[in-house]
């Protein structure tokens, strides 16, 4: 597939979808939401391809849509790869059981099966069935068993002469499984390689892919038959992943791709944590968050505050996103990631976090900030300053800040 011919359209998560795009790209009910003014808005981040057109839905505050539109095609592809690679990295690495990638993603493309097939390829190469070939007068190692059984015997000067000598040689036979591997790896590279960073398959690129492998029920039936007579676990796993991939493709045309994510907030949170751990340096005298260009290797964690209600009938848990407790300097950094278009009201949960940590560490100073994405340069501003008379006893007044981080910079750090 030649991506240079693709028409690239762009929308933004949370923003109005231009007229005609919903029908052109067959956007589903879940892909759209309608605010009070009734205009359809994007509810996802990802890519949707229909033949020679592809729609990119970029995250909130990644870049202004008008800016994305005037970029060159290579730049558009580069930024799309950054978005998609960040999402893939966050989905693969997320450990919080409350996140379910199956619920928060929608795709007609079996990327997980593809990566499993590639993992086999990277470790073992293309699937091959080994067999032993026995031939007369050709080879390096004599098969005496076959020579004794098949050759003619002659006596010469009291010695037995065998003619011909039979040699054994190991050979490999490529099969339907091999052809499926080649076709899946090369097809995925040709279809998505410009928009998602995929593993290197250049060694088999010249083999192309066989379109007859796809949308062919008889291929799947044959693979299922082969599976019943395959006993090695690693090979059974390979065949299962090939079947999963082909079934997914069979449900769609080859040039139809939907890879949509409905929870980019999760990606933002995961990327922010890595950025903090890599670059957070401290707080300036003016209460600005300071970041370093060098790796600082901090250890921010997602903390958990658990408690029962007053009647002990139910169990509650609060989870501040990024917490660093500096016992040496008696300082607590309390950050929470927010993937918002705009922050309009008081974030009561962050205020509760501040009170809880103040009670738990009464002698510690707390720096409290929400972390939001921006298209502009990173900066910090004051969000909440509570009057002293409402503060906790004689402690420092409650201040909460907003830290805006440039989204592209955070995502580039995340996938490097």
């Amino acid at each position: 597939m030649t991506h240079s011919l693709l028409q690239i359209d762009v929308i933004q998560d949370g923003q109005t979808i231009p007229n005609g795009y919903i029908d052109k790209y067959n956007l589903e009910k879940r892909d759209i939401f309608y605010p009070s003014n009734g205009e359809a808005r994007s509810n996802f981040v990802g890519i949707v391809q229909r033949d020679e057109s592809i729609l990119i839905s970029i995250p909130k505050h990644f870049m202004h849509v008008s800016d994305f539109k005037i970029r060159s095609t290579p730049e558009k592809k580069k930024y799309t790869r950054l978005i998609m690679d960040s999402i893939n990295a966050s989905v693969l690495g997320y450990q919080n059981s409350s996140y379910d990638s199956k619920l928060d993603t929608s795709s007609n493309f079996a990327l997980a099966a593809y990566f499993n097939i590639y993992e086999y390829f990277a470790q073992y190469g293309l699937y091959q069935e080994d067999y032993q070939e026995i031939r007369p007068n050709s080879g390096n190692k004599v098969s005496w068993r076959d020579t004794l059984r098949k050759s003619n015997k002659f006596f010469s000067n009291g010695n037995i002469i065998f003619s011909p000598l039979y040699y054994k040689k190991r050979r490999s036979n490529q099969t339907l499984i091999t052809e499926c591997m080649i076709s899946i790896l090369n097809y995925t590279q040709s279809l998505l390689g410009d928009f998602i960073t995929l593993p290197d398959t250049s060694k088999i690129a010249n083999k192309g892919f066989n379109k007859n492998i796809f949308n062919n029920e008889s291929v799947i039936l044959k693979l299922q038959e082969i599976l019943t007579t395959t006993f090695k676990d690693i090979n059974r796993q390979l065949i299962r992943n090939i079947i999963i991939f082909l079934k997914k493709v069979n449900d769609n045309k080859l040039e139809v791709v939907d890879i949509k994510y409905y929870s980019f907030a999760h990606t933002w949170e995961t990327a922010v944590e890595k950025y903090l751990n890599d670059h957070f340096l401290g707080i300036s005298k003016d209460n600005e968050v300071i970041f370093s260009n060098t790796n600082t290797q901090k250890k921010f964690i997602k903390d958990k505050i658990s408690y029962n209600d007053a009647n002990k009938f139910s169990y509650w848990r609060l989870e501040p996103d990024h917490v660093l407790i500096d016992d040496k300097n008696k300082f607590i950094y309390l950050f929470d990631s927010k993937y918002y278009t705009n922050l309009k009201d008081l974030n009561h949960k962050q205020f509760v976090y501040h009170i809880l940590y103040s009670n738990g560490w009464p002698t510690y100073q707390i720096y409290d900030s929400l972390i939001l994405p921006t298209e502009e340069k990173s900066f910090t501003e004051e969000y909440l300053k509570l009057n002293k008379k409402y503060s906790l006893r004689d402690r420092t007044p409650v201040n909460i800040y907003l830290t805006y981080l440039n989204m592209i910079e955070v995502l580039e750090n995340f996938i490097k």
Side-chain angles (χ1 to χ4, degrees), residues 349-377:
K349 188 170 69 170
Q350 193 68 13
F351 179 75
V352 170
Y353 290 162
H354 194 109
I355 301 303
L356 291 175
Y357 277 86
S358 294
N359 289 334
W361 286 265
T363 62
Y364 283 50
Q365 185 177 348
I366 296 177
Y367 184 88
D368 195 337
S369 182
L370 300 175
I371 298 183
L372 297 96
T374 180
E375 308 90 337
E376 314 303 332
K377 290 183 178 180

Coordinates of all heavy atoms in Angstrom, one line a residue, residues 349-377:
K349 N -11.3 16.6 45.0 CA -10.5 15.4 45.4 C -9.1 15.8 45.7 O -8.5 15.3 46.7 CB -10.5 14.4 44.2 CG -9.9 13.1 44.6 CD -10.2 12.0 43.5 CE -9.4 12.3 42.2 NZ -9.5 11.2 41.3
Q350 N -8.5 16.7 44.9 CA -7.1 17.2 45.2 C -7.1 17.9 46.6 O -6.1 17.7 47.3 CB -6.6 18.1 44.1 CG -5.1 18.3 44.2 CD -4.3 17.0 43.8 OE1 -4.9 16.0 43.4 NE2 -3.0 17.0 44.1
F351 N -8.1 18.7 46.9 CA -8.1 19.3 48.2 C -8.2 18.3 49.3 O -7.5 18.4 50.3 CB -9.4 20.3 48.2 CG -9.5 21.0 49.5 CD1 -8.7 22.1 49.8 CD2 -10.5 20.6 50.5 CE1 -8.8 22.8 51.0 CE2 -10.6 21.3 51.6 CZ -9.8 22.4 51.9
V352 N -9.0 17.3 49.1 CA -9.1 16.2 50.1 C -7.7 15.5 50.3 O -7.3 15.2 51.4 CB -10.2 15.2 49.7 CG1 -10.1 13.9 50.6 CG2 -11.5 15.8 49.8
Y353 N -7.0 15.2 49.2 CA -5.7 14.6 49.3 C -4.8 15.5 50.2 O -4.1 15.0 51.0 CB -5.0 14.6 47.9 CG -5.6 13.5 46.9 CD1 -5.4 13.6 45.6 CD2 -6.4 12.5 47.4 CE1 -5.9 12.7 44.7 CE2 -7.0 11.6 46.5 CZ -6.7 11.7 45.2 OH -7.3 10.8 44.3
H354 N -4.8 16.8 49.9 CA -4.0 17.7 50.7 C -4.3 17.6 52.2 O -3.4 17.5 53.0 CB -4.2 19.1 50.2 CG -3.2 20.1 50.7 ND1 -2.2 20.6 49.8 CD2 -2.9 20.6 51.9 CE1 -1.4 21.4 50.5 NE2 -1.8 21.4 51.8
I355 N -5.6 17.6 52.6 CA -6.0 17.5 54.0 C -5.5 16.2 54.6 O -5.0 16.1 55.7 CB -7.5 17.7 54.1 CG1 -7.9 19.0 53.6 CG2 -7.9 17.5 55.6 CD1 -7.2 20.2 54.2
L356 N -5.7 15.1 53.8 CA -5.4 13.7 54.4 C -3.9 13.6 54.6 O -3.4 13.1 55.6 CB -5.8 12.7 53.4 CG -7.3 12.5 53.3 CD1 -7.7 11.4 52.2 CD2 -7.9 12.0 54.6
Y357 N -3.0 14.1 53.7 CA -1.6 14.0 53.8 C -1.1 15.0 54.9 O -0.1 14.7 55.6 CB -0.9 14.3 52.5 CG -0.8 13.1 51.6 CD1 -1.8 12.8 50.8 CD2 0.3 12.2 51.7 CE1 -1.8 11.6 50.0 CE2 0.4 11.1 50.9 CZ -0.7 10.8 50.0 OH -0.6 9.7 49.3
S358 N -1.8 16.1 55.1 CA -1.5 17.0 56.2 C -1.7 16.4 57.5 O -0.9 16.5 58.5 CB -2.3 18.3 56.1 OG -2.0 19.0 54.9
N359 N -2.8 15.6 57.6 CA -3.1 14.9 58.9 C -2.1 13.7 59.1 O -1.7 13.5 60.2 CB -4.5 14.4 58.9 CG -5.5 15.4 59.0 OD1 -5.3 16.5 59.5 ND2 -6.7 15.2 58.4
G360 N -1.7 13.1 58.0 CA -0.8 11.9 58.2 C 0.6 12.3 58.4 O 1.3 11.6 59.1
W361 N 1.0 13.5 57.9 CA 2.4 13.9 58.1 C 2.4 15.4 58.6 O 2.7 16.3 57.8 CB 3.2 13.8 56.8 CG 3.6 12.5 56.4 CD1 4.8 11.8 56.6 CD2 2.8 11.5 55.6 NE1 4.8 10.6 56.1 CE2 3.6 10.3 55.5 CE3 1.5 11.5 55.1 CZ2 3.1 9.2 54.8 CZ3 1.0 10.4 54.4 CH2 1.8 9.3 54.3
P362 N 2.0 15.6 59.8 CA 1.7 17.0 60.3 C 2.9 17.9 60.3 O 2.8 19.1 60.3 CB 1.2 16.8 61.7 CG 1.6 15.4 62.1 CD 1.7 14.6 60.8
T363 N 4.1 17.3 60.3 CA 5.3 18.1 60.4 C 6.0 18.3 59.0 O 7.0 18.9 58.9 CB 6.4 17.5 61.3 OG1 6.8 16.2 60.8 CG2 5.8 17.3 62.7
Y364 N 5.3 17.8 58.0 CA 5.9 17.9 56.6 C 5.3 19.0 55.9 O 4.1 19.3 56.0 CB 5.7 16.6 55.8 CG 6.6 15.5 56.2 CD1 6.8 15.1 57.5 CD2 7.3 14.7 55.2 CE1 7.6 14.0 57.9 CE2 8.1 13.7 55.5 CZ 8.2 13.3 56.9 OH 9.1 12.3 57.2
Q365 N 6.1 19.7 55.0 CA 5.5 20.7 54.1 C 5.0 20.0 52.8 O 5.7 19.0 52.3 CB 6.6 21.7 53.7 CG 6.1 22.9 52.9 CD 7.2 23.9 52.6 OE1 8.2 23.9 53.2 NE2 6.9 24.8 51.7
I366 N 3.9 20.4 52.3 CA 3.3 19.8 51.1 C 3.2 20.7 50.0 O 2.8 21.9 50.1 CB 1.9 19.3 51.5 CG1 1.9 18.2 52.5 CG2 1.2 18.7 50.2 CD1 0.6 17.7 53.0
Y367 N 3.7 20.3 48.8 CA 3.6 21.0 47.6 C 2.6 20.2 46.7 O 2.8 19.0 46.4 CB 4.9 21.2 46.8 CG 4.7 22.0 45.6 CD1 4.8 23.4 45.6 CD2 4.4 21.4 44.3 CE1 4.7 24.2 44.5 CE2 4.2 22.2 43.2 CZ 4.3 23.6 43.3 OH 4.1 24.4 42.2
D368 N 1.5 20.9 46.4 CA 0.3 20.2 45.8 C 0.0 20.8 44.4 O -0.2 22.0 44.3 CB -0.9 20.4 46.7 CG -2.0 19.4 46.4 OD1 -2.1 19.0 45.3 OD2 -2.8 19.2 47.3
S369 N 0.0 20.0 43.4 CA -0.3 20.6 42.0 C -1.0 19.5 41.2 O -0.8 18.3 41.2 CB 1.0 21.0 41.4 OG 0.7 21.5 40.1
L370 N -2.0 20.1 40.4 CA -2.6 19.3 39.3 C -1.7 19.4 38.1 O -1.1 20.5 37.8 CB -4.0 19.8 39.0 CG -5.0 19.7 40.1 CD1 -6.3 20.4 39.7 CD2 -5.2 18.3 40.6
I371 N -1.5 18.4 37.3 CA -0.7 18.4 36.1 C -1.6 18.2 34.9 O -2.2 17.2 34.7 CB 0.4 17.3 36.1 CG1 1.3 17.5 37.3 CG2 1.2 17.3 34.8 CD1 2.5 16.6 37.4
L372 N -1.5 19.2 34.0 CA -2.4 19.3 32.8 C -1.6 19.4 31.6 O -0.5 20.0 31.6 CB -3.4 20.4 32.9 CG -4.4 20.4 34.0 CD1 -3.9 21.2 35.2 CD2 -5.7 20.9 33.6
P373 N -2.1 19.0 30.4 CA -1.3 19.1 29.2 C -1.5 20.5 28.5 O -2.6 21.1 28.7 CB -2.0 18.0 28.3 CG -3.4 17.9 28.8 CD -3.3 18.2 30.2
T374 N -0.5 20.9 27.8 CA -0.7 22.1 27.0 C 0.1 22.0 25.7 O 1.1 21.2 25.6 CB -0.1 23.3 27.8 OG1 -0.2 24.5 27.0 CG2 1.4 23.2 28.2
E375 N -0.4 22.8 24.7 CA 0.3 22.9 23.4 C 1.5 23.8 23.5 O 2.4 23.8 22.7 CB -0.6 23.4 22.3 CG -1.9 22.6 22.2 CD -3.0 23.2 23.0 OE1 -2.7 23.9 24.0 OE2 -4.2 23.0 22.7
E376 N 1.5 24.6 24.5 CA 2.5 25.7 24.7 C 3.7 25.2 25.5 O 3.8 24.0 25.9 CB 1.9 26.9 25.3 CG 0.5 27.3 24.7 CD 0.6 27.6 23.2 OE1 1.7 28.0 22.7 OE2 -0.4 27.4 22.5
K377 N 4.6 26.1 25.9 CA 5.7 25.8 26.8 C 5.1 25.5 28.2 O 4.1 26.0 28.6 CB 6.7 27.0 26.9 CG 7.5 27.2 25.6 CD 8.5 28.3 25.8 CE 9.3 28.5 24.5 NZ 10.3 29.6 24.7

